[in-house]
Every structure is written in structure tokens, then in C-alpha cells.
Amino acid sequence: MNFIKTTTIAASLFVSVYGQCQQHSKKQVATQKLAYTITPVNIKNVKLTDEFWLPIIKKVQEKTIEYAIHKCEEEGRLDNFLIAGKQKEGTVKGQMPFDDTDVYKIIEGASNTLISEPNLKLEKLLDSLISIVKIGQEKDGYLTTWRTINPAKPPCTWVPVIEGKRWESLQISHELYNSGHMIEAAVVHFEATGKKNFLNIAIKNADLLVRTFGDGADQVHGVPGHQIVETGLVNLYRITKNKAYLDLAKYFLDNRGNPKNHKLYGAYSQDDIPVVQQKEAVGHAVRAVYMYSGMTDIAALENNNAYYNAVNKLWENVVTKKMYITGGIGSRPEGEAFGKDYELPNLTGYNETCAAIGDVYWNHRLHNISGNSSYFDVIERTLYNGLISGLSLDGKKFFYPNALESDGVYKFNRGQCTRQSWFDCSCCPTNLIRFIPSIPGLIYSTKKDILYVNLYASNTANIALKNTNLEITQKTNYPWNGKISIGVFPKNETTFILKLRVPSWARNQVLPGDLYRYKTISGAKTTLSINGKSIAFKIDKGYITINRKWKKGDQILINFPMEVKQVVTNEKVVDNKGKVSLEYGPIVYAIEEIDNPMAFDKITISANDTFEVVKEPMLLEGVNTIKTKNFKAIPYYSWSNRGVGKMKVWINYEK
């Protein structure tokens, strides 16, 4: 996804991550100039050749999108637009008031695919889907099909109906959530194609929202029950420059926790206190990270320090007290919600796939303000573990929650203890479609004459800096080993700054804070050479900074030595006492019963164990496994692709 671009230059660079925020006084924080000074390199300029990520992206593009469209047809998602537009007879199909958004997210993911590579057949398919969406839109711009079809009969019993009026049940109706996903998709489609057929639908709807909501006597006073319209409106503002959209996004955020505006929804919806006073991540995890993303947008675009201070406190709380080793967030099945600090159960841990996706969006925005690698440490951990775990290896089965343990009996995945082919609430499958094709846009970012290399994956990218254009290449087998070859090809011999991120695992840090730590500090050192000559370096904010005159064909070799590492948890996490988990590079490992059928529940790791990393190209589409005399471990993301069985990430430790 392409995030907000702005030409505002920050007066200074503010770092706000755990362990560093104390370097700045309260006065300095209060006067900090904020902006999105760092711009992600658009996915159209990054051509992946990577053996890890390219197959996953192609799987989504070639299998999952088609599969999801078929499911939407089968379950009446498309029919609802036709019925709402009176081009087809019938009643509401589906079970959720937000079923429309599955169609929008498919369009967004397919549009990201078009940005990467033009495809006339796919573009025509999207035009067809958009024409169906347009049929369901009311004349004034309103677009929520279930309410248009029959306002008195929502598709589910948990949406209360009083008079069948619009906006009467904002806490649960998802009318604004529907608008948010629709607007987000329309912006990406416009960026992909230049066409306005979907953008015009979004603008018409957004204009209705601007007229409808506000403090005026004839306006609706209220906020969304489920956040995302805020970021949609901000992105629409970015495209159209219509500040009314940005103002409405801020109105929705400003009035959360304001009892004078509406009857409060409570902590579940992050609507118990004003957003600038929130310090702890509470309630529904997906709602929360979508809201935090919107707050970060307002902080950057309006130089709003109150918002920025709040999101930094919330980020610190999430990362240092409420994040799973896989990057997953939201520990409670009840309410799909954050638990208390250090409440991180494994068997019942929820870790909704949508929450992992939303957390990446949020952390990317935070990086675009500060340039601190801690945000990409979270992104990388989430991407390789608790996010892609949501998608099966065949691209047609899914995890809604992502547990860290399975007993083969507890049906944690919405009625199953393994992956499912679909859900009555299908937000996670279509959110994976929305997000995964956008991954190349995370790899690089720029600021004037600074190029950030944030993630490592084989690719060729064309990048524009302030004083030069250049091509940069990566060749690597990351995440299976830590050797990366980078080629730099500026148009002209030019001086600029290249920043190479050193992953936190290569700096002996699991995540910022003391929630996790490695049992043993590794003595292995990152090495760097340019054109065959070893280079001494320092690491600043997680990056190696190289400032030099670059010429065509300069070659960088960087090596992050990988070894099996044991992770232990803060003792306040009661479920992990006396246990360790295993990592190799950025990958978190798990033991699965199918590989360890004998006495699975008695498997332990001892102080005397030695670990062997084995490349197994025929297993799980090609993985590195970890073996000891007692067990075999596989990458966590690949578990539950071989039937029902037990699994553990955290293993009992014997001294």
C-alpha cells in the first residue's frame, strides 16, 4: 500500500521507541515538527525475483484472488449489490453487515497486482466488479447493501434495528467500516490504472459522509464502531487534496471517548476515553491498530504532537507487553481483543490475521515519520511469522486466529483446529489478498538523498533520489541465510546516503523492551564489504549508514550470521515460564506432531542440546528445519498444512 507523501521537511528527526524516548525532554517532544518525511518506494518500481516472497505473492495473484471471487459469488456478495440496485430480486445474502468489504479488499489486492505488472484481463475483471458495486450505490452516494435492500432486516441478529434508519446503530452496523474499505480500495485502483470509475464511487460516498457527520445541528454526531474509514478518508485526501476528507477523519478520531458527541461504546471499540489520553492497547485488536494508523496520519499531516505522543505510548505498550513472539497481537478470543499486560496464552491466543496486517500498516507509517528501524523489526517479525501463517501453502485455506499451540482438539480456528477453506466472517482471507501483493512496497524508502533498505529480498528496483536516479539490486536467499549481495547503479556518479537495516535478531534483540530476550548473547558479528574491501561501520537507529560517492556497479556484500537461538520470555508471562522457543534468522520455529509422533507432549530442550539446521527443499515448499536428537522443528508459518495435529512454539526447558 502506498502511504501518505508530503513535501514538508521536518525540523528535526524524532525517535520514539522504547529505550530511546527518554533521550528527549518533554519540552522537546512538545515542540517536535512532525511530517511523513520518508517516502516508501512504490511497488511499481520494485520487481521481485525472490524465491521466498515471489511465490507467495504469485500464489495470491494466481490462486487466492480467483478463489475468493468464486466464494463471493457463491455466498451472494456480488448479488447483494445487484439486489440493492434493483437489478435482481431477492433478500440479503450472507451473514455479516460488512460482507461488502470482501469485494472491496479483493479489488484492492488485485489493483496492487496491476501496479506491479499490467494485466489487461485482470483490469477488465476489476472493471466488471466495479460496475457491479456501482449498481448498489444509492443516488446520494450511500453504499451499504444490506441496509439498502431491507433496512429493517440486517443479515445478523446482533445489529439492532429501531427504525431502519441510516447510521442509527453506528456501534455495530459497520456502515462506516464499509465506506472505509471501499475508499481504500478505490484509491489503490486509481493509482494502479488511472481510471476514475471506482474513485468516483468513493468520492460520492465520502462527500455524503462529509455532509452527514459533524457538529452541526442538522448533522449526525457519532463515530464508527469499527475504525478504518479514517485512513480511507486520509488516503482520499492525498489523491484529491480535498481537505474536508482529512477534517472528517480527524473529527471521527477527536470524538472517540467524547460523551457529549455520542453514547460511548466502551473500551472494546477504543471509545472509553479520548484517543490522545489512551496509553494502553485495549479492546478489539483490529479496530485498535486501524485507529492507531489513522492517529499516526493525523500526527504527521497536521503536525499534531498530542496524537504522536499517544501513538508512541500505545506502540510501546503493544510491543513491550502485548506482542507474541510471532508478531501477533490480540490474545483473547472473547472480543478478538488485547488482554492485560503480559497476558499471552498460547493455546487460546487469538492473534487475528487482520490484526497482524493492520499492525504492519501502522508500523510502516511510524517509520515514515522517524526512520527508526524498530518499526521494521516489528514488521519483519510479523511478516515472516504471524501474518503469512494465515495463508495455507496452496493459497486456498486460512487461519483467522493464529494460535501458538494446538492440542489437536481445541477448535481455535472458528470451529476447527486446522485451517479452513472459508469463514462466515471472511475478513481475514480477503485482507490477505489486499495486503500481500503490496509487500514489495515495504522494501525501500527514500528521504531526499537517503535510500533506506528496510527488508531483504531478491529484486531489482528503480529509485529516484533528490539528485540522482538509480537502479539497485538485491540477490539473497534470505530468510534461510543472511548473506545479501547489493548492486548499486546510479545514473551518474553521485554522492548519496545508503542505509542498510540490521535486523534486530542480528543485534541480539528479539523486540524492543524486555518482553523477550535471547537465552545466550551471540558473538557473531555482521560483516560488510564494498567492492571486495571490508568496511568498518556503526549502527545508528538500527541502520548501517554509508555516505559515499557511488558509481555504476558498486557491489555491497553484507552478512548477518544466522544461528539457532533460544528465546525466553519475561517471567510476568505465566504461560511461558520454564519454556523456550527457537528462532533461526527472522523465522520463529514450532514443533508439529506429524514430525514428532513419539511422546510429543514430553519433548523438551536441554542445556546440552545441539541444533542442526537442515535444508529440506521437498518439505512444505522448501524450508530449513531445525533438528536435535529429540525433535524436528519447522517454520511456524508453515504448520497445519499436513492435517490435524498437535503443535507448540514454546517448549519445556530442562536445565
Side-chain angles (χ1 to χ4, degrees), residues 523-537:
K525 301 294 185 182
T526 295
T527 59
L528 175 71
S529 67
I530 301 178
N531 299 328
K533 181 181 178 181
S534 294
I535 303 295
F537 59 86

Side-chain angles (χ1 to χ4, degrees), residues 495-547:
T495 298
F496 62 88
I497 295 172
L498 185 65
K499 285 182 170 286
L500 304 172
R501 177 177 155 268
V502 181
S504 59
W505 60 263
R507 293 183 277 113
N508 282 306
Q509 184 183 59
V510 182
L511 283 168
D514 65 352
L515 183 56
Y516 303 102
R517 62 176 175 83
Y518 292 118
K519 196 170 185 66
T520 302
I521 298 299
S522 172
K525 301 294 185 182
T526 295
T527 59
L528 175 71
S529 67
I530 301 178
N531 299 328
K533 181 181 178 181
S534 294
I535 303 295
F537 59 86
K538 293 182 179 179
I539 299 173
D540 180 41
K541 299 176 187 173
Y543 286 90
I544 296 170
T545 300
I546 308 172
N547 187 351

